[in-house]
Amino acid sequence: MLASFFATFLIGLREGLEAALVVGILVAYLTRLDRRDALPKLWTGVGLAVALALGVGAIFTFGAYMLTFEAQELLGGGLSLLAVAMVTWMIFWMQKAGRTLKAGLEGGIDKALRGGVWALVAIGFVSVAREGVETTLLLWSMVQSFGESPVALLGALLGLATAVVLGWFIARGMLRLNLGRFFTWTGGFLVVVAAGVLAYAFHDLQEAGVLPGPFGAGAPIDAATGLVATGWAGFPFGWAFDVSATVAPDSALAVLLQATVGFMPQMTWIQVIAWVVYVAVVAPLFVRGVRAGRRPRPSASPLTPLAESRPDAAPATVATSTAP
């Protein structure tokens, strides 16, 4: 129970804090320009983005009840794959573009102020909608896999609420956080979480019959037991392992492992392969990006602020520069 709460809380906190910082930059810049009259239009766009994210979550949650079991699994697997793709892209986008995020947002505000009412609404919408939809998809996939919807949803809501409060304190200059380190550690956590979501996506697709696996007619059968083969005998479309007798699927340990590393007491070979390949490819790239961000840029002069010469410190620059 606590494991699913903690996992979704951390996801909500990280993703919500990214969105809160973006909104803080936009609001602070308009305030410095003495254009408070434009704030209602910006907040309209932000409100529409939040409504979109909530609407997407509601459609996927309640719409799935009208589908057949196979269709539900196909929908869940497809959306989980989309969530993994969006989260992976966002992790590396933050590493690469975080240093210029503030300048890019302020440039967008300058153009929007010349473009009229709808331009300001649009920049507020676009700036938050991407984060909102990504967060909705990821949390929806995690909640489906945990099977503890109330607890997981509570964790996500508290994480988002905490992010809003922290973002407000940071924007007001009342709180200083090492956001570079925060996003680095949570980014590493997201890599592992995304691997688990990817593994569960393949589980759903196998149950839907889109991919071969132990749920279909072509599953390898153990001649001695008459059940789907486990271990090397079940490769590649059977069970990789089954430790359900040792780790009960509904136990606190099972939930903890699934919430943190994507482990399930019974996993198919395709799930295991997907998890291993994702981590083997994405984790080294993430670590390389972190190390590159810690190296000072050769062109940086002694007068250049530290955050300007270190990409991984960019979020801290964003945070400290949002105070009006």
Side-chain angles (χ1 to χ4, degrees):
M1 179 181 295
L2 290 178
S4 59
F5 174 89
F6 173 76
T8 54
F9 174 84
L10 191 56
I11 297 298
L13 177 62
R14 180 204 158 88
E15 300 298 317
L17 191 54
E18 285 185 16
L21 291 175
V22 168
V23 174
I25 291 173
L26 297 175
V27 171
Y29 189 60
L30 284 174
T31 302
R32 287 201 301 271
L33 293 177
D34 197 23
R35 290 299 307 271
R36 293 180 180 272
D37 60 299
L39 288 177
K41 305 178 184 65
L42 177 67
W43 285 116
T44 298
V46 172
L48 290 174
V50 173
L52 173 65
L54 293 175
V56 169
I59 291 173
F60 292 153
T61 300
F62 299 108
Y65 294 131
M66 297 182 289
L67 303 175
T68 63
F69 173 78
E70 289 76 11
Q72 289 182 30
E73 298 303 299
L74 179 60
L75 175 65
L79 292 178
S80 294
L81 290 177
L82 180 59
V84 170
M86 293 184 68
V87 168
T88 305
W89 176 82
M90 182 60 70
I91 290 172
F92 291 107
W93 180 83
M94 279 295 292
Q95 281 189 335
K96 183 178 180 180
R99 181 160 47 90
T100 59
L101 178 62
K102 179 175 179 291
L105 290 172
E106 291 181 351
I109 282 287
D110 291 335
K111 294 179 181 178
L113 289 173
R114 298 191 297 267
V117 175
W118 289 108
L120 280 168
V121 173
I123 193 172
F125 176 82
V126 172
S127 298
V128 178
R130 178 179 57 192
E131 291 283 353
V133 173
E134 174 198 338
T135 304
T136 298
L137 289 176
L138 181 58
L139 291 175
W140 186 87
S141 300
M142 294 180 69
V143 169
Q144 296 301 310
S145 65
F146 293 156
E148 295 185 351
S149 298
V151 176
L153 284 175
L154 178 61
L157 291 175
L158 287 180
L160 291 171
T162 304
V164 171
V165 174
L166 290 177
W168 186 83
F169 280 135
I170 292 172
R172 302 294 299 179
M174 301 169 63
L175 180 65
R176 292 289 186 268
L177 292 178
N178 189 330
L179 293 178
R181 183 171 298 176
F182 172 81
F183 284 118
T184 295
W185 281 102
T186 54
F189 175 73
L190 275 181
V191 170
V192 180
V193 167
V197 173
L198 179 65
Y200 195 80
F202 279 99
H203 180 276
D204 280 350
L205 294 176
Q206 286 179 295
E207 283 194 318
V210 176
L211 296 176
F215 311 103
I221 303 298
D222 188 331
T225 63
L227 302 175
V228 176
T230 303
W232 288 111
F235 184 84
F237 301 131
W239 298 110
F241 58 82
D242 184 357
V243 295
S244 300
T246 304
V247 182
D250 58 348
S251 66
L253 178 59
V255 175
L256 173 64
L257 292 174
Q258 185 172 347
T260 52
V261 298
F263 169 85
M264 299 171 63
Q266 187 182 43
M267 297 182 70
T268 70
W269 273 107
I270 290 182
Q271 282 185 275
V272 173
I273 292 172
W275 192 97
V276 171
V277 170
Y278 182 88
V279 172
V281 172
V282 176
L285 293 175
F286 176 76
V287 172
R288 186 174 67 179
V290 171
R291 290 177 177 174
R294 288 175 177 172
R295 290 194 296 266
R297 295 167 61 192
S299 59
S301 66
L303 298 179
T304 302
L306 179 60
E308 290 292 336
S309 61
R310 288 178 52 191
D312 68 320
T317 304
V318 171
T320 57
S321 61
T322 55

